[in-house]
Amino acid sequence: MPWSTSSGAEETSSKASSSTTNRTFRSIPVIKIPFASISYREISLSTALNDELDRIAHSYGHSLAGQSLSVKFGELIKVLHTASGQKVVVLIDEYDKPLIDYLDKDSLPCARQNRSVLKSFYSVLKNADPNLKLVFITILNCFIY
């Protein structure tokens, strides 16, 4: 029985690395919206989200023409899908933070306004399904009494 100086794991690793060098990997476009770091408290939620969508589009070398927030979000998803040839991943962190931050009695009108903005914003995702690979939404939902 002939002895080999390489282990089976090394041979497998060698075969795997040679087979992956023949592949080209395309990056998947990601839209990440972290509500904890968006300045919606200083400016309106709608303005903050518009700014964030413009920032994301700019980071991919695009600009958005849409006027309304929902049109702009849908446009961003479609532009990234078309430009990359890859379906888009949407990551939304602490999606309920713009509501929870305004639950005290004096701020309820702002919470209602933010709810309306978010309802319109999130409604885009259902119609964008053909352009989406994954939508991952995390919740804050931490109430302290």
Side-chain angles (χ1 to χ4, degrees):
M1 172 186 222
W3 292 93
S4 172
T5 57
S6 66
S7 69
E10 289 171 345
E11 290 176 21
T12 303
S13 175
S14 171
K15 288 177 186 175
S17 66
S18 67
S19 66
T20 57
T21 57
N22 297 332
R23 294 185 183 151
T24 56
F25 292 96
R26 295 179 285 179
S27 63
I28 296 172
V30 176
I31 298 172
K32 182 180 179 190
I33 301 175
F35 279 104
S37 61
I38 293 178
S39 59
Y40 61 86
R41 293 197 78 133
E42 291 80 27
I43 56 179
S44 72
L45 177 60
S46 182
T47 302
L49 282 171
N50 267 302
D51 292 349
E52 187 68 11
L53 293 177
D54 285 335
R55 185 195 64 74
I56 294 166
H58 182 73
S59 74
Y60 283 99
H62 300 287
S63 61
L64 303 173
Q67 296 299 313
S68 74
L69 183 59
S70 58
V71 169
K72 195 177 260 193
F73 189 29
E75 179 185 357
L76 177 61
I77 293 168
K78 191 167 192 149
V79 163
L80 293 180
H81 179 211
T82 302
S84 69
Q86 296 286 313
K87 290 188 174 189
V88 177
V89 171
V90 176
L91 306 173
I92 299 176
D93 190 26
E94 296 182 5
Y95 86 96
D96 56 344
K97 188 164 177 37
L99 301 175
I100 291 174
D101 284 352
Y102 294 100
L103 287 182
D104 59 73
K105 186 176 181 180
D106 296 331
S107 300
L108 282 179
C110 191
R112 286 187 183 101
Q113 181 181 8
N114 285 354
R115 180 182 63 187
S116 177
V117 169
L118 290 174
K119 186 176 180 181
S120 174
F121 184 72
Y122 293 135
S123 70
V124 171
L125 294 172
K126 184 170 184 171
N127 291 333
D129 192 50
N131 301 312
L132 296 170
K133 182 175 188 73
L134 172 73
V135 175
F136 189 77
I137 301 174
T138 66
I139 188 169
L140 175 62
N141 200 7
C142 178
F143 294 100
I144 301 172
Y145 297 99

